[in-house]
Amino acid sequence: MSIFNPFFVAGLMAVLLFSSCLKDECDETRVFIEYTPVYVQPEQFRIPVETQSPREMIETGKIYFYNDMIFINEKYEGVHIIDNSDPFNPVVTAFMSIPGNIDVAIQGNLMYADSYVDLLTIDISNINSPEVLSRDEEVFKLYEHHQNLGYFIYSRATERKLEVECADPNFGDDVFWRGGGIFVLEDAIDVAVPSGNAGAVSPTGVGGSFARFALRFGHLYVLNNNELVAYSLSTPETPVKTETTYVTWGNIETLFSYKNYLFIGSSNGMYIYDASEPSTPSYVSEFRHATACDPVFVKDDIAYVTLRDGTRCESFTNQLDVLDVSNVFNPVLIASYEMDNPHGLSVTDDHLYLCEGDFGLKVFETKDLTKIDQNRIEHLSNISAVDAISLSNEHLLIIGKDGLYQFDSSDPGDLDEISFISVTK
């Protein structure tokens, strides 16, 4: 985000002094769309969680699978609950209203969910009557608090457009503040307007590669801007924070647990933490890359890292990095592959399912890690694919901007769509 600052004063004065010359030399304009800030007060989201009648999916977020149920996030509002006992005929049964929700993790009929800045523990043993058992307040630092206004959550597009001439100090920006609103370049790509600055082991659900929560070793791990926060689940109904660890200056975005380790995807690299002492995870190593959005998936000591471009990601890179992490103290890059716009991913046996956003879903064989790009065996270019969960060698879930797809993946080179639930256009 670009904001006017005092160091531009000299330049601005020069612009004013020679404006007539500039008008003669430059007649280019750029069109920006105005966004208005959205704020929420604590009393608006510290309310009971409710299960409501099914509603249409409009802006889908992350996906989670638990006990034949699929939970699909509706950004900042809650989760759609889908009965998937028959994958050929999934039924949207309810909507659980959780204000400010983005992530969930489920274990033993307890759902851990964010609600803007708070972490909730919700009893979902009766899915139609959820009960908040605990609320840890002010956990997440993603939203800046403004006195009297509340937490700055995001900005919503308006109908107003602003033409900016080249003499304007914000002409070269993609995003800037003016008059209490945020203006975003109309032609910007993938814009996301910035907001504020296991004894008997309970069955655990499965999240996608964009998950920010992980359940492991009787603990819940959550990402918070640039911190890894550990909670002991010795009493699962009331998680107890045990450690908050600073990871990096770059935003940490995704969390994947593998063996005794936590793999953290950041805008500037992949970080590995040892969770052998679950309450106090410790830094092991890192692999730095160009600034980009960065989900991570690890299987058989191989880490698959996607990097993509877009204004929010501050990058012009679209690639898949494949790393050998058999020695976690020294991750080694095996190969990098150019991609279209890679998002989430899942790996099973010898196949990689790679979501390419509006470019669809690609399937690659991974027997030869040095030639993955030469071994693409399927490309569904007519769907939107943002994240994937491979439930088995025969069952694949894909979430995209257009809805939820389920495929029979017993033949990865010839995926067979078995059901689809669409979003509202």
Side-chain angles (χ1 to χ4, degrees):
M1 178 176 63
S2 298
I3 303 175
F4 176 81
N5 70 64
F7 295 103
F8 291 156
V9 170
L12 179 58
M13 291 177 64
V15 167
L16 294 174
L17 287 172
F18 299 102
S19 58
S20 60
C21 295
L22 286 172
K23 287 179 181 177
D24 291 338
E25 297 175 4
C26 177
D27 58 4
E28 183 182 356
T29 60
R30 304 178 87 197
V31 178
F32 292 77
I33 299 173
E34 182 181 17
Y35 284 69
T36 58
V38 175
Y39 299 89
V40 297
Q41 297 284 3
E43 58 268 24
Q44 293 177 276
F45 63 86
R46 287 177 180 153
I47 59 177
V49 169
E50 297 179 340
T51 296
Q52 304 168 351
S53 300
R55 51 181 276 189
E56 295 177 321
M57 292 191 293
I58 299 174
E59 188 177 5
T60 56
K62 302 181 185 182
I63 184 172
Y64 199 87
F65 181 85
Y66 175 77
N67 272 6
D68 284 336
M69 291 185 291
I70 299 173
F71 297 82
I72 297 178
N73 169 252
E74 186 74 31
K75 291 182 180 179
Y76 300 110
E77 297 187 30
V79 289
H80 301 275
I81 302 170
I82 299 170
D83 180 350
N84 203 52
S85 51
D86 178 6
F88 290 87
N89 185 35
V91 179
V92 182
T93 60
F95 181 79
M96 186 180 296
S97 176
I98 309 173
N101 176 249
I102 297 293
D103 279 270
V104 301
I106 304 173
Q107 179 173 275
N109 286 324
L110 293 177
M111 173 187 285
Y112 303 99
D114 60 340
S115 177
Y116 292 124
V117 296
D118 297 349
L119 175 67
L120 309 184
T121 304
I122 307 168
D123 182 351
I124 60 169
S125 52
N126 180 352
I127 201 70
N128 294 312
S129 184
E131 179 185 359
V132 175
L133 302 180
S134 68
R135 177 187 291 269
D136 192 4
E137 299 183 358
E138 307 292 336
V139 173
F140 302 103
K141 302 174 183 177
L142 301 175
Y143 311 104
E144 182 178 327
H145 188 269
H146 295 252
Q147 190 174 7
N148 301 324
L149 294 174
Y151 293 98
F152 174 26
I153 303 305
Y154 59 89
S155 293
R156 180 183 295 117
T158 69
E159 297 296 323
R160 183 185 173 204
K161 294 186 178 182
L162 177 68
E163 289 192 1
V164 175
E165 297 181 349
C166 56
D168 190 292
N170 293 118
F171 178 80
D173 298 328
D174 287 341
V175 182
F176 63 87
W177 285 80
R178 181 175 294 179
I182 299 174
F183 290 84
V184 180
L185 182 65
E186 186 175 40
D187 296 331
I189 302 172
D190 192 27
V191 167
V193 180
S195 60
N197 299 312
V201 178
S202 300
T204 301
V206 181
S209 61
F210 281 101
R212 202 165 43 113
F213 291 7
L215 291 161
R216 195 78 167 175
F217 309 120
H219 283 67
L220 169 68
Y221 300 96
V222 303
L223 300 185
N224 174 34
N225 237 9
N226 51 17
E227 297 174 339
L228 171 65
V229 185
Y231 284 87
S232 170
L233 300 181
S234 54
T235 306
E237 296 83 0
T238 53
V240 176
K241 188 185 300 182
T242 62
E243 185 83 356
T244 298
T245 305
Y246 174 82
V247 177
T248 175
W249 61 265
N251 285 342
I252 52 179
E253 302 161 332
T254 65
L255 183 58
F256 191 95
S257 61
Y258 174 75
K259 294 184 176 178
N260 291 339
Y261 301 98
L262 301 171
F263 289 77
I264 299 172
S266 163
S267 60
N268 63 352
M270 179 190 74
Y271 295 82
I272 304 175
Y273 277 73
D274 186 350
S276 298
E277 297 291 335
S279 293
T280 56
S282 57
Y283 170 86
V284 174
S285 64
E286 65 192 66
F287 175 81
R288 292 294 188 101
H289 57 58
T291 301
C293 293
D294 179 14
V296 178
F297 194 102
V298 187
K299 186 179 187 301
D300 297 332
D301 290 338
I302 302 298
Y304 302 83
V305 182
T306 62
L307 292 77
R308 75 179 186 278
D309 66 8
T311 299
R312 183 178 71 84
C313 308
E314 301 178 356
S315 173
F316 298 97
T317 300
N318 287 288
Q319 71 187 50
L320 168 71
D321 285 349
V322 182
L323 300 110
D324 181 347
V325 293
S326 55
N327 179 359
V328 294
F329 295 95
N330 183 33
V332 176
L333 180 66
I334 298 173
S336 291
Y337 300 102
E338 183 177 344
M339 295 294 166
D340 290 313
N341 195 224
H343 286 60
L345 66 163
S346 186
V347 182
T348 178
D349 284 351
D350 295 322
H351 296 95
L352 162 66
Y353 299 96
L354 182 66
C355 298
E356 287 264 43
D358 292 338
F359 294 91
L361 173 69
K362 295 177 181 177
V363 185
F364 300 88
E365 288 187 341
T366 59
K367 293 179 182 179
D368 187 344
L369 297 174
T370 65
K371 297 180 179 179
I372 286 180
D373 59 340
Q374 299 176 31
N375 292 308
R376 190 180 76 190
I377 59 173
E378 175 71 291
H379 182 195
L380 303 181
S381 59
N382 60 338
I383 71 170
S384 166
V386 173
D387 205 0
I389 297 179
S390 183
L391 295 176
S392 70
N393 290 337
E394 294 79 34
H395 192 182
L396 178 69
L397 305 180
I398 297 292
I399 188 70
K401 290 189 298 185
D402 49 2
L404 170 69
Y405 292 87
Q406 298 194 62
F407 294 96
D408 177 347
S409 54
S410 51
D411 181 358
D414 186 20
L415 296 176
D416 181 20
E417 182 182 319
I418 59 177
S419 64
F420 173 65
I421 299 176
S422 67
V423 303
T424 301
K425 300 295 185 182

